[in-house]
Amino acid sequence: DRCGYPEVVYGEGKTPEQIIEVFRAQQAAGQACLATRISAPHAEAVLAAFPHAVHHPVARTIRLTSPSSRLAVTPLRDGLEGHKTPAVLVVTAGSSDRPAAEEALETLAWAGAECALITDVGVAGPQRLLKQVDRLSEARVVIVVAGMEGALPSVVGGWLSCPVIAVPTSVGYGTSFGGLTALLGMLNSCAANVAVVNIDAGFKAGYLAALMLRSASPGPQES
Amino acid sequence: DRCGYPEVVYGEGKTPEQIIEVFRAQQAAGQACLATRISAPHAEAVLAAFPHAVHHPVARTIRLTSPSSRLAVTPLRDGLEGHKTPAVLVVTAGSSDRPAAEEALETLAWAGAECALITDVGVAGPQRLLKQVDRLSEARVVIVVAGMEGALPSVVGGWLSCPVIAVPTSVGYGTSFGGLTALLGMLNSCAANVAVVNIDAGFKAGYLAALMLRSASPGPQES
Amino acid sequence: DRCGYPEVVYGEGKTPEQIIEVFRAQQAAGQACLATRISAPHAEAVLAAFPHAVHHPVARTIRLTSPSSRLAVTPLRDGLEGHKTPAVLVVTAGSSDRPAAEEALETLAWAGAECALITDVGVAGPQRLLKQVDRLSEARVVIVVAGMEGALPSVVGGWLSCPVIAVPTSVGYGTSFGGLTALLGMLNSCAANVAVVNIDAGFKAGYLAALMLRSASPGPQES
Amino acid sequence: DRCGYPEVVYGEGKTPEQIIEVFRAQQAAGQACLATRISAPHAEAVLAAFPHAVHHPVARTIRLTSPSSRLAVTPLRDGLEGHKTPAVLVVTAGSSDRPAAEEALETLAWAGAECALITDVGVAGPQRLLKQVDRLSEARVVIVVAGMEGALPSVVGGWLSCPVIAVPTSVGYGTSFGGLTALLGMLNSCAANVAVVNIDAGFKAGYLAALMLRSASPGPQES
Amino acid sequence: DRCGYPEVVYGEGKTPEQIIEVFRAQQAAGQACLATRISAPHAEAVLAAFPHAVHHPVARTIRLTSPSSRLAVTPLRDGLEGHKTPAVLVVTAGSSDRPAAEEALETLAWAGAECALITDVGVAGPQRLLKQVDRLSEARVVIVVAGMEGALPSVVGGWLSCPVIAVPTSVGYGTSFGGLTALLGMLNSCAANVAVVNIDAGFKAGYLAALMLRSASPGPQES
Amino acid sequence: DRCGYPEVVYGEGKTPEQIIEVFRAQQAAGQACLATRISAPHAEAVLAAFPHAVHHPVARTIRLTSPSSRLAVTPLRDGLEGHKTPAVLVVTAGSSDRPAAEEALETLAWAGAECALITDVGVAGPQRLLKQVDRLSEARVVIVVAGMEGALPSVVGGWLSCPVIAVPTSVGYGTSFGGLTALLGMLNSCAANVAVVNIDAGFKAGYLAALMLRSASPGPQES
Amino acid sequence: DRCGYPEVVYGEGKTPEQIIEVFRAQQAAGQACLATRISAPHAEAVLAAFPHAVHHPVARTIRLTSPSSRLAVTPLRDGLEGHKTPAVLVVTAGSSDRPAAEEALETLAWAGAECALITDVGVAGPQRLLKQVDRLSEARVVIVVAGMEGALPSVVGGWLSCPVIAVPTSVGYGTSFGGLTALLGMLNSCAANVAVVNIDAGFKAGYLAALMLRSASPGPQES
Amino acid sequence: DRCGYPEVVYGEGKTPEQIIEVFRAQQAAGQACLATRISAPHAEAVLAAFPHAVHHPVARTIRLTSPSSRLAVTPLRDGLEGHKTPAVLVVTAGSSDRPAAEEALETLAWAGAECALITDVGVAGPQRLLKQVDRLSEARVVIVVAGMEGALPSVVGGWLSCPVIAVPTSVGYGTSFGGLTALLGMLNSCAANVAVVNIDAGFKAGYLAALMLRSASPGPQES
Ligand SMILES: Nc1ncnc2c1ncn2[C@@H]1O[C@H](COP(=O)(O)O)[C@@H](O)[C@H]1O
Ligand SMILES: Nc1ncnc2c1ncn2[C@@H]1O[C@H](COP(=O)(O)O)[C@@H](O)[C@H]1O
Ligand SMILES: Nc1ncnc2c1ncn2[C@@H]1O[C@H](COP(=O)(O)O)[C@@H](O)[C@H]1O
Ligand SMILES: Nc1ncnc2c1ncn2[C@@H]1O[C@H](COP(=O)(O)O)[C@@H](O)[C@H]1O
Ligand SMILES: [Mg+2]
Ligand SMILES: [Mg+2]
Ligand SMILES: [Mg+2]
Ligand SMILES: [Mg+2]
Ligand SMILES: [Mg+2]
Ligand SMILES: [Mg+2]
Ligand SMILES: [Mg+2]
Ligand SMILES: [Mg+2]
């Protein structure tokens, strides 16, 4: 396994058969499975083989709880009212940033990390963010997903005292350059608590957040 | 003259003699004078010829009131307490953004536009900006000067209902790319009231803000 | 609302249902509605719900006058002969620059700003522009829309004494780089009265021009 | 304060007097102080005012333990033989990557995080890294500092099961583009546990690593 | 002929008829034929004319042994167990890098060079590479095919004492920029034995490896 | 000689001795000599050896009439009043564009082509250009030298019916990118009669203009 | 008219009706017509209206001799054996460079300039070029069309003593960047007789070559 | 040692003491020593410690024969007349490309590979290259060093049937972009026998050429 977690399948350019084969091996080894970047038709084929797998069409992921079930978690997507703040909050600037945010949530769920989604707190409507600051400051890690100018992680980072993982998205037009402008903005954040991952890399953000929650177990990894 | 204002000297690569010659001609024509991008030694030489000229070493400008004095204005730089909000506010993210902000203020002063400076309200310290929102919303035009990720114009634009002119600065390191990252962020602002000028172009921001204040006089310009 | 204007829907990636929902809420609140980046089939679905809405297929916008009708304006598109010059003129270099220009006009109409279109005055046919200089100098704000080398805002800016908002378009081939070359040319304009917005951002140009016309109402905004 | 830590001074373009003033205020408030990007002559002037401050010439930092001393930590720089592995390990590819690594170590020391330096384990000498894998896998967070092709974080990330913070450096020539190539390599790491910060941003890496170690205290921050 | 080998057809934008015509002429001259970048339907048309030609759908190549058959070689693709290490080994980081690797193998086969494929030894699973080091060190030239961060050639180069030809692939997303990031990483490799070819240029890598194996025959070439 | 003209020395990185040696050989062969990119101290050393050579400090050139004198020409630099329009006109946008313009003039003089300089007709002052249109339309080739947005060649090209050679200069700041923005503007000119050379390549423009004037002599060149 | 030639239609994004309308007006004024970037279906529609027009599917042009027929010219495309060398030669590096070359030829034919095509003399087969040097040196202007590394104009320019117009094409893969690499190579040519136009701008090259042949008629242009 | 050769010191940013220390260790181990990127004053200090070392000021290298002397070789720099062609030829386009060429030669000499230098065969003077083709075709590996448009490796590669290693140099101005244009040209060479290294990486080219000459000794390397 990689990094203490079962290996994750990068679905781009793989056939459903290849994915099913990896999942079979992982299930046999008692591991939870995750595949990302899965198209709708491929997902259907995989679900036919694993009817208990969870396919998320916006995240474009399929995950499969390990038989021993230790990691069963469901992300909170419909508001946090009446809920205790989970360890990880995933925040989006606009509704188009949803796919990368969902990929992060599904990765967190697969990794067994409690998590929730807060949407549409982009900087052009500043009151919306202000209303969430108290909630956000209760999380242990916050993932911020934003396209266009990518300013949101800086603003969120300025309010919080926990690590912020910034995910630039390919949302925008003209000089948004497929997410490059958002990425550059995040790398140059004047908030010091902002770490950055690749454009649209919701998976990496979720994976890193889950790692940050565990205290790393000593000893070299086996694979 | 162009655009209704006397022509402005771009000092880069000009000798003091060339600048003095233009100023002489403009004074003779009863115009106010402005020169930008003036080095300290060049400024000294110009001041020797025009002892009443105002040299601002951080802005790197020299300006000279027209004999008829209609345009005499002094920017407010030491806080607005006890002052009525002037038409134009110039806001900086950090103290290194000062030179471009000062170039804007000196241009506004030369153009006869009341203006003031508010510094250090960068997004990493969000309470500082919140304290200024009421004041900022009283201005008719706001100029926002920021480097690094250039997020401040988006955030300010989100709070205000007047035009915001964004000036990216060459402040930062690594992937700030001499102001390019800030510029791209500003161009992709999700706040719709943000217009952008070139990197470090405080002069252009000040000039445009002054134009926005006047109701443009009809009829073609002479030159 | 933001910036004194009702919020505008960015249609990219939204379903007709989402757009209709926002429009319903805005109508209920007595606001005028605007949606940009709407595909033809989506427009049809929205028009079915709001038969009085105006869909402009080249601008790819839908707008809906507020019930109180204060803002009803129709852009002049067929020449200005016999008309008083409106406050805002939108100028294109070539016929391919039309979509961004129309987006600006529709935004101006939605915002209640009188406006007109002047087409095809690109720099390769200089007499065409010369014939328009008198007319252009009567406007209070001029929006210039150009692709390829993006030289037109500089040339127009040189003739006028009002603010010029430059909109680079993704028109061209080879090294036009989807509008980047036009954008860079506009940012480096040696005319000081030129402000710039993102590539193809006709909406932003129209929005800013409308803001420049009003004297901004004091007091912080609610949202 | 910002993010739960006392505010850090970015020394670029500040006078020694400005730095001393901030330090005075922070000391008065009982906080530990840190300034980064301090030139040698400026450091001398600050040390004259604060003789107990620690100046690190390679890191180009000055730090000053808070009067209450809670945070006193000394980075291990001379090998780990005979030492327990500290929470954070800072690893460099080559000897030219030292400055960014030292900036990270000094930031960690200021933040009270136990840390050590391991140098020169670049990918061109693979046995050197292999010898360190056991040690590295005992850390809770690993910071990897590398220039040129920036491959080291991928390789280290592949061996470990804790978060890896990658710091690209401006070391190299030709197409290293001042660290851009290393940055891009790190963002595209096929190891999922790699987060990235700006080029030469040792400070950010140290700050984030320290944040990851603490369990974030709930409640909004004051500033 | 070019470079001592019969000329190779670059199939992009050529009709099957054009390809068949060149192959006819080369066969008549007793030469082996190779065409690259051939789509499936074009391949079918060419195979109809040359039933003995070998079409490789992943490599997108067609090759045709010369009548004199001197160059008949079959690449080893199913593991090297029980085989002597051939002169050239082609190594991929991940399974998506296959097409460029297959293009290299087919070129080597056409050129008469013994070769084999080793897949999926990417840096995120370091033990897989370690298991191959002994085998790799028996080759005379190693071709390394990798996308994303392109770190594999550096790591392989660090273990070996023969020339390594690095082929960046357009595999990845976000800032992988269609292979540019991998290319830059390879050019900046701190391993000195790494030469680089264009993105996805498996053909060039195979061609160069074959040239390196021969002792170059003296005398100028004819064409 | 190449292209019918004696070979030209590119002075960058050459010692005065190297330049003198080439000039000696060319003089012996009865050729006119030209060296470009010559620093002031190097020029002094060359002039000591060739007292009749013409050094132009702004152009940074040295030229030396051939003994047979066929090519003796002096560029007109002080206005064309009272002069017949020469075959080539060199036009600058601003005074900082002078060095590249002078390099073109000196190259034309060396090549025996009648030429003149017209300065400061940049697009921000459109009347200045209008006054020159009649004069410009009498030339056989026009060279336009401009930095910043590089719009002038488009505008001039729109007025004229002869070939226009555009020389971008490294004049500007921020996003002028050392002349790249001007270059891109010129390549994308919507005037079809505009050819482009490298940034600051006054020499190439002058050389090409001279070639365009001659009817090319048939037969292959010797060298 | 523009530049002394009747205006040329840029077909991209125009309807057949728009093109027909312009052609009608130009025919009425006794001018020859040219339209570029015409798709096959659009061409069909235009040809239905003008049965005598010449559509070239590879060039993607339509041209129509003026009624007075002064400009009737047919490019030589099948080799020059037995022909006198025409004034303009158009040379391609490879067969994929054909479209831009054909656009140049059709433009030359429309402008009444005698011209011929020489294909496939790319630098990888140097004897092919050597065989053409005598022929090429008889032309008055040579247009060189090349993609990939764009080396051919430098090599051709080195052999000739006439102006060379270089047309970069978007032929290539990987780092050819859609013709940018070829363009940059051509701009940096160490042959001084090379002028450059935009990527794939065969039209501009043909237009400029035709202008170079005429002695420009004095007097300002009308339009 | 790595790759069968003793490790090479990259001098950039190292003190003379550090270099001397490495050389001492290598001498003690009976290895030959090489340091690159050594400034003149540093070289002097190293030579004081190793009087028998060879410092090449243009290459900026120091090398030191191993005590066992097996590798003593002197590059031929003054023409090949009367000499047998050595295994490796290093060719430059212009005289400014000398430093990278000399770095390659010194690396070859250190590695014990017979080599010679041929200068100034740039593409603008094609006869110079033609005169060298016979000689070049006798080499086993050819290194081509060129700046500006970087066309020379393509042209040389077209004539030869051995591997060509292309070294782009930072020679040029304007859009040469410090060697990037030359690099891109070389990567896109239509000659298939061209491998590329980093800008100014003469060391890598020499190292690779030497590796290509030896038949690689089997067995994993020790370090
Ligand atoms: N700092 C500046 N940035 C951009 N443009 C400037 C600046 N200062 C002056 N200018 C413009 O440059 C023109 C004068 O240029 P020049 O004739 O070279 O002095 C004026 O029309 C100004 O609008
Ligand atoms: N064409 C457009 N370009 C840029 N911003 C737009 C455009 N249309 C709408 N917007 C902005 O996008 C915001 C709405 O985004 P959304 O909530 O995703 O509909 C509004 O505040 C508008 O200011
Ligand atoms: N300023 C310049 N820009 C570009 N090429 C030049 C320049 N000056 C001279 N050259 C060219 O450089 C070549 C001479 O280079 P070199 O042998 O290094 O002196 C000549 O063939 C000239 O065409
Ligand atoms: N000029 C150079 N360019 C690239 N790599 C070099 C150069 N000189 C030495 N090296 C490599 O740098 C490594 C040594 O780096 P260092 O340990 O920092 O001296 C060696 O493995 C060499 O292969
Ligand atoms: Mg955003
Ligand atoms: Mg900022
Ligand atoms: Mg245009
Ligand atoms: Mg490194
Ligand atoms: Mg890879
Ligand atoms: Mg200019
Ligand atoms: Mg080519
Ligand atoms: Mg060269």
Side-chain angles (χ1 to χ4, degrees), chain A residues 2-3 134 137 157-161 187-190 192-193 195-196 198 203-204 207-208 211-212 214 219-221, chain D residues 2-4 134 137 157-161 187-190 192-193 196 198 203-204 207-208 211-212 214 219-221:
Chain A
R2 189 183 50 169
C3 300
D134 283 354
S137 58
W159 283 111
L160 302 184
S161 49
L187 284 168
N188 288 276
S189 177
C190 53
N193 52 341
V196 185
N198 201 0
F203 159 67
K204 277 197 182 175
Y207 193 94
L208 273 161
L211 285 187
M212 289 179 195
R214 323 187 287 161
Q221 59 163 135
Chain D
R2 192 184 48 169
C3 300
D134 284 353
S137 57
W159 284 110
L160 301 185
S161 49
L187 284 167
N188 287 278
S189 176
C190 53
N193 52 341
V196 184
N198 201 1
F203 159 66
K204 278 197 180 175
Y207 193 95
L208 274 161
L211 284 186
M212 289 179 195
R214 321 187 291 162
Q221 59 164 133

Side-chain angles (χ1 to χ4, degrees), chain D residues 69-130:
Chain D
S69 257
R70 185 178 51 92
L71 297 173
V73 154
T74 304
L76 298 169
R77 288 183 166 96
D78 301 315
L80 282 165
E81 220 129 299
H83 290 276
K84 205 173 136 288
T85 303
V88 184
L89 291 176
V90 179
V91 179
T92 72
S95 54
S96 324
D97 301 317
R98 229 15 221 272
E102 293 290 358
E103 197 185 58
L105 288 169
E106 287 296 298
T107 302
L108 285 159
W110 160 81
E114 308 280 345
C115 55
L117 176 67
I118 298 176
T119 56
D120 247 334
V121 296
V123 294
Q127 269 105 347
R128 291 191 221 137
L129 175 60
L130 280 187

Side-chain angles (χ1 to χ4, degrees), chain B residues 38 40 55-61:
Chain B
I38 304 294
H55 169 231
H56 196 291
V58 175
R60 299 181 62 220
T61 53

Side-chain angles (χ1 to χ4, degrees), chain A residues 64-78:
Chain A
L64 190 49
T65 307
S66 78
S68 60
S69 257
R70 187 176 49 91
L71 297 173
V73 154
T74 304
L76 297 169
R77 289 183 166 95
D78 301 316

